[in-house]
Structure formats: structure tokens, C-alpha cells
């Protein structure tokens, strides 16, 4: 995914608000809800016009949502009740190169006065030339006797371009934070980096890393499985993943993990889960794929990308943590996951993913097992391979509660 760094500027605008108080013989000082006017202005480097924008305001305390659509404007005003709002903007813009692109941006606003002015920086991208996440299966399955079977999870990563790509040294990052809560960590800048509690690195040619080892043809995909075995031998409801391209290292035999020597292991470069990479089975995490730029490697990442943060815990004291973060400039794709009843915020910059998807509708949804999140198919490319939607917004790009594509095994 190609990102553009934006310059922010603030534009002052005017609005109005009112509070009504009435008194009668039977009531004294009854006050209606206070209303303010929130004015949003839009800005973005190399953007010449804003064709249409969808605006969502979510009040963080009540979950109430206000939506508005705009066309060909650089600013808009909305009457909203006092409160704290998360702002998400998605839409289409025209660049200074006269190309149409998908754009997105986020902001936050506390409406406590009659007039509030906010500038929302919008980020856009043109169709990129690298891998995308096509599917994530994190829910696991139920056995015929109703028990949880948590193996056979996987990432499916597709070459959505018309050229050969190489999976060597591809990075998979797992979010440190969750989409269902916000501890207000400090420092934290979603537009600069993606904090991670788990990092997988796909292998490469150990003899000569300059000679790539894992080509992926246009339209084809790779599967990175938590355990590359035929799980149907354990339970009929699970999947046969014995011919996955890569697998997580099997470091927990007590959990039923068995290493498949025919499938290369990925490197767990960092994890907070005792040498394991464990996917959240209710889907409250976000995932990204990334590449090391020239001059960067696993070693330089571990040396230079430590992320120290703190937050106020439920007891009112400060908790300090130390993990890692992946710079946004390294990231080529991402997907946020949540459920409608618990969603609080996305964990990626809008330039990576401005939306979110889900498997299940509520927390611990019993219907989620065996389902995944899958990217929408928009057409066919050369060789009759699927062409997938990629608008930088998982709310648009993914099908929620999808049937897992590998339930009958891996077929290219």
C-alpha cells in the first residue's frame, strides 16, 4: 500500500448552539440537552477536490452515531449534542494528478462549547503493487460434541497484482491494543506506527538473501497456518492445512501442536505470549503485513523499534509496558477486526485501513465458529484468478461472517 504523508492546517469556521431552559408553576429549571455545532474542514496533500465523503461521528460514552454525507465541499457543519466523539471520514477525492482515489481520515472532538472547529487530515492511496490480506480465520471450530478446537487458524495472503511477488521476509504484525477498548496509552500516534504484541517474519534464502526463494504468481496466494497439519484427523469439522506454505513454530505440544517438517516455519521475532503467536478467537485485534525497507532487518527492528508506553489502569495507577511498533511506512496492508456490540476504535492509520470487519455479531458469539473475514471479489484477472476489492476500508472491502475458504483444504 502506498502512503502519502499529509500536511495539516487549521481553518477557522463559525457555528451556533443553544440551550433552552423553561420554567412553569410545576417545574423549576428543567434544561434540555445542550447542542453544539461541530465544523469539520478537510485537508490533504496533493488533493485538489473532495468528490464525496461519508462522515461518521460516534459518541464514545453512549455509542450514539451520527452520519452525514457531503459532496464537493472542503468543510461542513453538523449539530451534535455535547459529548466526546470519534470521527471517521471515508470517500473519494481527486488528486492534483487528476486521478480519482479512495481517501480516509480520523479525528476526535470534545463538544463542550457552542462552537467547535476540527481539521480532519485525509490520506489517499492509488492501487498498490504488493500483497494484500485476503482472509483471516481466527475463530476456530466446534467439534461434533460441542468442544472448542482452536487450531487450524490461518492467514491467507494474495498477490492482487499482475506481476510476480516474493513472500521472502514478509512481516505479519498483531496489534498490541484491541479494537474494543481504549486505555489512552501515552505516547500513541496511529498515523505514525502500529504497536504490536506479536511479529511473524516469513523465511528467506539463508545462503544468499538476495536470491528470492518464495515467488507468488499474479492472483495466487500463500497460506500461513498456525499448525500445518490435516486437522480433520483430530475432528471432522476442522480443516486440512497440511500443504500450507508456512506455519507458526510448534512450541506447545501440550496444546496438540505437531510440527510439519515439510512446511517452513515462520520466525516469531517478538511476542508477549511465551514464544507463541496466538490469535484472538473473538476477533478483537488488527493485523498488518509489512516489508523491511532497504537497510532494515529483524535485528535492526528489535534494536530500534521498541515502543514504551504507559496508561492509567482501572485502579487509577500508572501501568508501564514495553513492546514494539512497526512504522506505517513499512506496512503494505492491514485489517481491523471487532464485533458490532463491542467496537470502539480502529487501530490503524486511515492510510492503512479506515474501517473494520467481523466474524460474529456479539461478544463470544456462538455462531462465529468456522467463520472468517474474507475480502470481496470484484472481478477476474489474467489466468482467471480472482481480483479483490481494495479501497483501504475493511468495512467496504471484506465480507463479514464468511464461510472459511479452506474448509475443504487448500486448492490453488
Amino acid at each position: 500500500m502506498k502512503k502519502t504523508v499529509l500536511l495539516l492546517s487549521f481553518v477557522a469556521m463559525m457555528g451556533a448552539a443553544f440551550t433552552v431552559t423553561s420554567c412553569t408553576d410545576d417545574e423549576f429549571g428543567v434544561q434540555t440537552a445542550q447542542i453544539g455545532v461541530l465544523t469539520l474542514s478537510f485537508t490533504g496533500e496533493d488533493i485538489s477536490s473532495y468528490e464525496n465523503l461519508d462522515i461518521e461521528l460516534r459518541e464514545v460514552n453512549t455509542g450514539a452515531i451520527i452520519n452525514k454525507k457531503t459532496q464537493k465541499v472542503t468543510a461542513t457543519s453538523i449539530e451534535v449534542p455535547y459529548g466526546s466523539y470519534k470521527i471517521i471520514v471515508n470517500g473519494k477525492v481527486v488528486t492534483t494528478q487528476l486521478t480519482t482515489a479512495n481517501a480516509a481520515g480520523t479525528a476526535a472532538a470534545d463538544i463542550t462549547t457552542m462552537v467547535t472547529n476540527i481539521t480532519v487530515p485525509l490520506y489517499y492511496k492509488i492501487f498498490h503493487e504488493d500483497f494484500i490480506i485476503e482472509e483471516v480465520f481466527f475463530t476456530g471450530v466446534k467439534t461434533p460434541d460441542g468442544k472448542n478446537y482452536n487450531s487450524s487458524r490461518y492467514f491467507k495472503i494474495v498477490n492482487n497484482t499482475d506481476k510476480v511477488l516474493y513472500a521472502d521476509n514478509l512481516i505479519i504484525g498483531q496489534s498490541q491494543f484491541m479494537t474494543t477498548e481504549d486505555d489512552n496509552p501515552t505516547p500513541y500516534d496511529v498515523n505514525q506506527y502500529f504497536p504490536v504484541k506479536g511479529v511473524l517474519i516469513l523465511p528467506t534464502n539463508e545462503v544468499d538473501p538476495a536470491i528470492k526463494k518464495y515467488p507468488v504468481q499474479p492472483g495466487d496466494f500463500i497460506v500461513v497456518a498456525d499448525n500445518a497439519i490435516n486437522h480433520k484427523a483430530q475432528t471432522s469439522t476442522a480443516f486440512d492445512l497440511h500443504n500450507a506454505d508456512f506455519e507458526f513454530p510448534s512450541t506447545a505440544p501440550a496444546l496438540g501442536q505437531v510440527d510439519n517438517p515439510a512446511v517452513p516455519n515462520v520466525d516469531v521475532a517478538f511476542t508477549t505470549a511465551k514464544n507463541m503467536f496466538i490469535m484472538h478467537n473473538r476477533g478483537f485485534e488488527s493485523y498488518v503485513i509489512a516489508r523491511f525497507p532497504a537497510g532494515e532487518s529483524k535485528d535492526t527492528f528489535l534494536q530500534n523499534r521498541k515502543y514504551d508506553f504507559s496508561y492509567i489502569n482501572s485502579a487509577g495507577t500508572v501501568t508501564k509496558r514495553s513492546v514494539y511498533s512497526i512504522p506505517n511506512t513499512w506496512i503494505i496492508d492491514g485489517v481491523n477486526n471487532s464485533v458490532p456490540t463491542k467496537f470502539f476504535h480502529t487501530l490503524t492509520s486511515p492510510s492503512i485501513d479506515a474501517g473494520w470487519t467481523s466474524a460474529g455479531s456479539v461478544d463470544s458469539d456462538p455462531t462465529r465458529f468456522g467463520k472468517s473475514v474474507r475480502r470481496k471479489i470484484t472481478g477476474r484477472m489474467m489466468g482467471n484468478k480472482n481480483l479483490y476489492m481494495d479501497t483501504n476500508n475493511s468495512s467496504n472491502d471484506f465480507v463479514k461472517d464468511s464461510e472459511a475458504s479452506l474448509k475443504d483444504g487448500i486448492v490453488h
Side-chain angles (χ1 to χ4, degrees):
M1 237 172 239
K2 188 174 182 181
K3 266 75 66 183
T4 301
V5 179
L6 301 184
L7 301 176
L8 294 115
S9 62
F10 288 89
V11 180
M13 281 156 281
M14 300 181 62
F18 58 90
T19 300
V20 178
T21 302
S22 62
C23 272
T24 66
D25 292 339
D26 298 319
E27 56 185 3
F28 179 78
V30 178
Q31 183 170 304
T32 65
Q34 291 180 292
I35 300 293
V37 172
L38 171 63
T39 299
L40 303 176
S41 61
F42 310 110
T43 184
E45 186 179 2
D46 295 329
I47 295 177
S48 63
S49 65
Y50 305 87
E51 292 300 285
N52 55 74
L53 299 175
D54 294 328
I55 303 165
E56 177 184 290
L57 308 179
R58 180 184 292 266
E59 210 289 314
V60 299
N61 299 299
T62 65
I65 295 175
I66 298 172
N67 296 109
K68 183 174 182 178
K69 295 181 181 293
T70 68
Q71 285 189 321
K72 298 183 183 300
V73 298
T74 59
T76 188
S77 296
I78 309 170
E79 288 191 349
V80 295
Y82 279 22
S84 296
Y85 291 86
K86 295 278 188 179
I87 304 164
I88 300 175
V89 180
N90 291 286
K92 290 188 180 297
V93 299
V94 174
T95 72
T96 52
Q97 292 77 36
L98 301 181
T99 58
T100 300
N102 297 296
T106 60
D110 290 322
I111 310 301
T112 57
T113 59
M114 293 189 300
V115 176
T116 304
N117 300 315
I118 296 291
T119 297
V120 183
L122 297 186
Y123 301 75
Y124 76 86
K125 73 161 194 173
I126 305 298
F127 185 79
H128 65 85
E129 290 293 310
D130 217 318
F131 290 108
I132 59 174
I133 299 169
E134 191 264 303
E135 180 181 12
V136 187
F137 177 67
F138 49 76
T139 59
V141 299
K142 284 284 190 182
T143 65
D145 57 355
K147 296 180 180 179
N148 289 356
Y149 185 81
N150 291 319
S151 292
S152 73
R153 299 174 184 169
Y154 60 83
F155 294 95
K156 190 177 177 187
I157 299 170
V158 69
N159 177 356
N160 205 41
T161 78
D162 59 0
K163 64 183 181 181
V164 176
L165 298 176
Y166 291 87
D168 298 58
N169 257 0
L170 196 68
I171 304 166
I172 300 176
Q174 175 186 34
S175 64
Q176 162 63 30
F177 305 123
M178 291 190 178
T179 58
T180 54
E181 59 188 34
D182 186 3
D183 291 325
N184 292 310
T186 303
Y188 181 50
D189 188 348
V190 71
N191 289 317
Q192 297 297 323
Y193 49 77
F194 181 75
V196 286
K197 65 179 178 183
V199 176
L200 302 178
I201 302 177
L202 275 56
T204 190
N205 191 327
E206 295 180 0
V207 177
D208 185 357
I211 301 176
K212 302 301 183 184
K213 190 175 181 180
Y214 300 106
V216 182
Q217 298 300 314
D220 205 358
F221 61 86
I222 58 172
V223 175
V224 184
D226 67 344
N227 200 189
I229 64 172
N230 182 2
H231 294 275
K232 287 187 177 295
Q234 310 299 320
T235 176
S236 61
T237 55
F239 310 149
D240 181 0
L241 302 179
H242 82 276
N243 60 337
D245 299 277
F246 305 97
E247 69 174 346
F248 304 178
S250 299
T251 58
L255 298 179
Q257 290 189 326
V258 179
D259 184 70
N260 182 346
V263 176
N265 284 343
V266 298
D267 180 6
V268 181
F270 170 72
T271 179
T272 59
K274 297 182 178 179
N275 299 320
M276 298 182 66
F277 189 97
I278 302 173
M279 301 168 73
H280 195 287
N281 78 354
R282 288 172 289 158
F284 293 173
E285 297 174 329
S286 302
Y287 302 103
V288 300
I289 53 176
R291 288 192 183 276
F292 292 115
E296 298 282 359
S297 65
K298 170 186 172 182
D299 291 338
T300 61
F301 171 73
L302 295 177
Q303 289 169 6
N304 303 325
R305 302 298 173 178
K306 184 69 71 70
Y307 170 57
D308 300 319
F309 68 96
S310 63
Y311 63 93
I312 306 299
N313 59 37
S314 58
T317 59
V318 176
T319 295
K320 296 182 178 181
R321 298 288 304 277
S322 182
V323 292
Y324 284 86
S325 68
I326 300 174
N328 284 358
T329 53
W330 297 14
I331 296 172
I332 56 177
D333 194 31
V335 57
N336 294 291
N337 303 282
S338 194
V339 293
T341 57
K342 295 281 287 185
F343 173 75
F344 188 83
H345 61 168
T346 57
L347 302 176
T348 59
S349 162
S351 62
I352 298 167
D353 183 13
W356 57 281
T357 186
S358 63
S361 299
V362 297
D363 191 6
S364 300
D365 193 332
T367 69
R368 75 187 187 281
F369 294 102
K371 295 178 181 178
S372 71
V373 294
R374 295 182 62 185
R375 198 175 286 264
K376 296 175 183 176
I377 299 170
T378 60
R380 297 284 179 178
M381 62 171 61
M382 188 176 297
N384 204 34
K385 297 291 187 179
N386 291 334
L387 180 67
Y388 294 94
M389 182 176 289
D390 185 14
T391 67
N392 237 32
N393 185 335
S394 291
S395 299
N396 299 327
D397 295 346
F398 279 77
V399 179
K400 301 177 180 180
D401 301 312
S402 296
E403 181 178 68
S405 69
L406 305 184
K407 68 182 183 66
D408 295 321
I410 301 171
V411 179
H412 289 266

